[in-house]
């Protein structure tokens, strides 16, 4: 897998096509594993896509006593294995982004796995393949770096300068995540 997910939060138009596509992905049991959240529902209608950040050292996997959450060679953090998940929900509490969800009827955890059956062959995950505003993209690393540089240049042209409180907006650590 040579491509990565790239998110530009301010491009999200709240259509929820990504959620509908996620439900249709082959092994998702008709459950959406990504979400569209409101930035501040009381202040604006602005939304943003929320999916697994595919952490390098995922808290969800670290806190799982049954070792049910596996990480592929490419670094994709998979949903809990049906055979191993004991339903303790530690992963749902451990994730700082609140991504893993627990299905009480099935007694198991599920989360975004970047449609691993597709992405391992460099085919875009379902959410990225249907996003009409390009808020979610599946691109190669060089393209992401180019977009990051262009974004930083535009922020400087517009007079935006990073401060200690918001520096992560200008130089993200991973995933190319941006938000205004």
């Amino acid at each position: 897998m040579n491509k990565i997910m790239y998110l530009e939060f301010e491009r999200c138009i709240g259509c929820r096509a990504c959620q509908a596509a996620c439900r249709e992905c082959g092994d998702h049991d008709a459950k959406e594993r990504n979400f569209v959240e409101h930035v501040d529902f009381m202040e604006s209608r602005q939304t943003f896509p929320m999916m697994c950040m595919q952490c390098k050292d995922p808290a969800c996997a670290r806190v799982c006593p049954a070792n049910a959450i596996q990480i592929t060679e490419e670094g994709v953090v998979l949903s809990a294995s049906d055979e191993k998940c004991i339903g303790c929900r530690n992963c749902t509490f451990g994730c700082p982004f609140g991504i893993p969800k627990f299905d009480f009827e099935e007694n198991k955890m599920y989360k975004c796995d970047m449609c691993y059956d597709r992405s391992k062959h460099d085919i875009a995950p379902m959410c990225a393949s249907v996003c009409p505003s390009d808020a979610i993209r599946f691109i190669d690393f060089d393209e992401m770096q180019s977009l990051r540089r262009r974004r930083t240049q535009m922020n400087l042209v517009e007079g935006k300068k990073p401060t200690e409180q918001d520096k992560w907006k200008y130089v993200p650590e991973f995933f190319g995540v941006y938000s205004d």
Side-chain angles (χ1 to χ4, degrees):
M1 186 167 74
N2 299 318
K3 296 190 176 191
I4 58 175
M5 294 291 279
Y6 181 80
L7 306 175
E8 283 191 275
F9 289 156
E10 72 276 1
R11 286 176 162 260
C12 181
I13 58 174
C15 68
R16 291 179 167 68
C18 56
Q19 288 180 292
C22 187
R23 282 191 300 271
E24 299 299 319
C25 192
D27 62 347
H28 287 185
D29 302 323
K31 288 182 171 53
E32 54 202 38
R33 297 176 180 211
N34 61 359
F35 307 94
V36 175
E37 304 284 349
H38 287 274
V39 174
D40 184 350
F41 189 73
M42 300 303 284
E43 295 293 321
S44 79
R45 304 298 282 160
Q46 178 63 48
T47 56
F48 63 94
M50 195 64 196
M51 57 206 51
C52 182
M53 294 293 147
Q54 304 297 327
C55 303
K56 289 181 181 178
D57 184 22
C60 61
R62 277 198 327 267
V63 300
C64 180
N67 199 25
I69 302 170
Q70 300 298 309
I71 304 165
T72 68
E73 289 178 14
E74 298 90 353
V76 176
V77 183
L78 300 175
S79 273
S81 163
D82 291 347
E83 297 80 31
K84 291 183 175 181
C85 183
I86 59 174
C88 67
R89 299 188 305 157
N90 283 359
C91 54
T92 62
F93 302 121
C95 175
F97 301 103
I99 298 299
K101 302 299 178 206
F102 191 77
D103 184 334
F104 287 94
E105 290 177 14
E106 302 271 334
N107 197 38
K108 68 177 183 180
M109 177 279 276
Y110 60 95
K111 63 172 248 354
C112 167
D113 59 6
M114 284 181 51
C115 297
Y116 186 64
D117 57 327
R118 295 169 56 94
S119 61
K120 69 181 174 187
H121 299 294
D122 280 344
I123 300 169
M126 294 294 282
C127 58
S129 68
V130 300
C131 183
S133 64
D134 278 342
I136 307 169
R137 290 185 249 179
F138 192 61
I139 59 177
D140 62 36
F141 185 78
D142 292 336
E143 187 177 353
M144 188 220 26
Q145 290 292 76
S146 171
L147 288 167
R148 285 176 60 181
R149 277 192 292 279
R150 191 173 330 134
R151 178 67 179 244
T152 302
Q153 290 167 350
M154 287 307 298
N155 284 335
L156 294 174
V157 167
E158 293 171 5
K160 297 178 183 175
K161 191 173 176 185
T163 64
E164 189 61 36
Q165 290 79 25
D166 68 356
K167 64 184 174 189
W168 66 271
K169 291 181 183 178
Y170 298 89
V171 186
E173 292 179 24
F174 181 66
F175 234 70
V177 176
Y178 285 102
S179 176
D180 276 343

